[in-house]
Amino acid sequence: MSARSERYLEEMGLAPVWKLRGPKRALGPGIRDQEKKSGESRSRAPAVLKPPPPRRPPQILPPVPGLVAAAKLDLADDRAARILRMDWPELKTAVAACEACGLRKTCTQTVFGVGDEQADWLLVGEAPGAEEDARGEPFVGQAGRLLDNMLAAIGLARGENVYICNVLKCRPPGNRNPEPFEVAQCTPHLLRQLELIRPKLILAMGRFAVQALLNTEASIASLRGRLHRYQGVPLIVTYHPAYLLRNLPDKAKAWEDLCFARRSIAAL
Ligand code: URA
């Protein structure tokens, strides 16, 4: 990265840029690195792109009863039961049309989620902010730029074996905290996303993701550094990127969490 780009990032509060230390590329190069490399070598030899890894066949799975129990959902609740049987197109349509909690009245549009629907990594945040609400994509504001930076530091990129979504699909007005009723109404959407993706690892970012998935009020600090399980899927707790922007010293802890996540997924 050029000194100029580093200065830009510094201005945005996103510096220092995170760089992977130690042995290079345990996970293999990301597409961005490949593009960079191919750009560098354009004048010498044609770029050789690595073939993508074999894809898992798409799966439509029935709801898992345990999954429902863990999130304190009641399958007798017709709405939740219906959502937990949906395929991707049905779920996207249902989220876009949802008026269950009232937030849809004040937001611009729903923000479903973005990325690889068969990703190994599922990142869960809290709720869309102003920029996400305007663009219909999660984590595209300043916190999102930090998240992209953090992902790049461990050789990952948005959309490449990574899926990103939020607990809430609608922006709470003025970015206030989600209300318990709103979380309860939106949780079936999140659980169905999780069930359809079947990731190898969930990264729960911030207390609302943790509360929705682990059903605990415990602090992020006390839950970090351990491999939790959400219905058998390994889950790692870390700070929310927006929190990190306000608490720069904790970036080092989030870096530890990401390294821990990378080691854990490599060991699976
Ligand atoms: N914060 C979140 O939790 N999610 C977003 O999409 C953006 C900011």
Side-chain angles (χ1 to χ4, degrees):
M1 173 167 309
S2 69
R4 193 159 157 234
S5 314
E6 293 215 26
R7 274 204 310 282
Y8 279 143
L9 288 172
E10 211 170 281
E11 283 296 307
M12 290 190 295
L14 303 182
V17 176
W18 294 22
K19 295 193 180 106
L20 190 59
R21 285 192 228 129
K24 276 203 126 185
R25 292 285 164 224
L27 292 176
I31 294 289
R32 284 176 186 184
D33 292 326
Q34 288 168 3
E35 279 170 1
K36 193 161 153 242
K37 261 199 213 137
S38 67
E40 280 166 359
S41 59
R42 203 172 292 139
S43 56
R44 292 178 223 136
V48 181
L49 288 180
K50 247 177 98 181
R55 313 286 300 166
R56 284 180 279 148
Q59 293 170 297
I60 305 292
L61 300 161
V64 176
L67 199 83
V68 175
K72 278 206 191 147
L73 291 184
D74 181 1
L75 260 188
D77 168 2
D78 237 23
R79 177 175 168 272
R82 248 183 308 111
I83 292 171
L84 291 164
R85 276 195 293 270
M86 289 177 176
D87 60 18
W88 278 116
E90 287 168 338
L91 187 60
K92 287 173 187 174
T93 306
V95 166
C98 180
E99 294 183 350
C101 77
L103 282 180
R104 185 67 193 88
K105 287 195 189 84
T106 51
C107 73
T108 308
Q109 59 187 316
T110 53
V111 179
F112 183 79
V114 70
D116 180 351
E117 292 174 357
Q118 296 171 41
D120 288 339
W121 293 74
L122 172 63
L123 275 53
V124 183
E126 179 181 317
E131 288 186 59
E132 291 76 21
D133 180 65
R135 289 179 42 189
E137 184 174 332
F139 285 100
V140 289
Q142 206 188 0
R145 287 190 285 279
L146 174 59
L147 182 61
D148 286 341
N149 217 0
M150 290 159 64
L151 288 175
I154 55 164
L156 293 174
R158 175 184 292 254
E160 292 166 22
N161 204 19
V162 175
Y163 193 91
I164 306 175
C165 64
N166 287 307
V167 174
L168 293 191
K169 312 303 187 211
C170 291
R171 180 192 182 207
N175 293 351
R176 66 157 169 74
N177 284 341
E179 299 283 350
F181 176 71
E182 294 156 357
V183 172
Q185 294 303 305
C186 221
T187 295
H189 298 138
L190 173 64
L191 298 192
R192 192 56 184 156
Q193 282 176 305
L194 205 158
E195 187 54 31
L196 288 167
I197 297 167
R198 284 263 169 185
K200 279 193 182 159
L201 187 126
I202 303 166
L203 193 65
M205 303 183 294
R207 80 181 158 104
F208 287 96
V210 168
Q211 281 172 6
L213 294 170
L214 291 185
N215 197 16
T216 172
E217 298 278 334
S219 68
I220 302 291
S222 68
L223 296 168
R224 287 182 53 245
R226 278 187 283 156
L227 201 58
H228 303 270
R229 296 233 168 220
Y230 180 77
Q231 291 301 307
V233 182
L235 183 152
I236 286 174
V237 169
T238 192
Y239 294 108
H240 190 285
Y243 164 87
L244 295 175
L245 288 172
R246 299 188 303 268
N247 299 273
L248 296 181
D250 280 343
K251 272 189 186 174
K253 294 182 187 159
W255 171 240
E256 280 169 20
D257 298 337
L258 281 184
C259 291
F260 176 45
R262 201 174 43 132
R263 281 198 308 279
S264 304
I265 214 166
L268 290 171

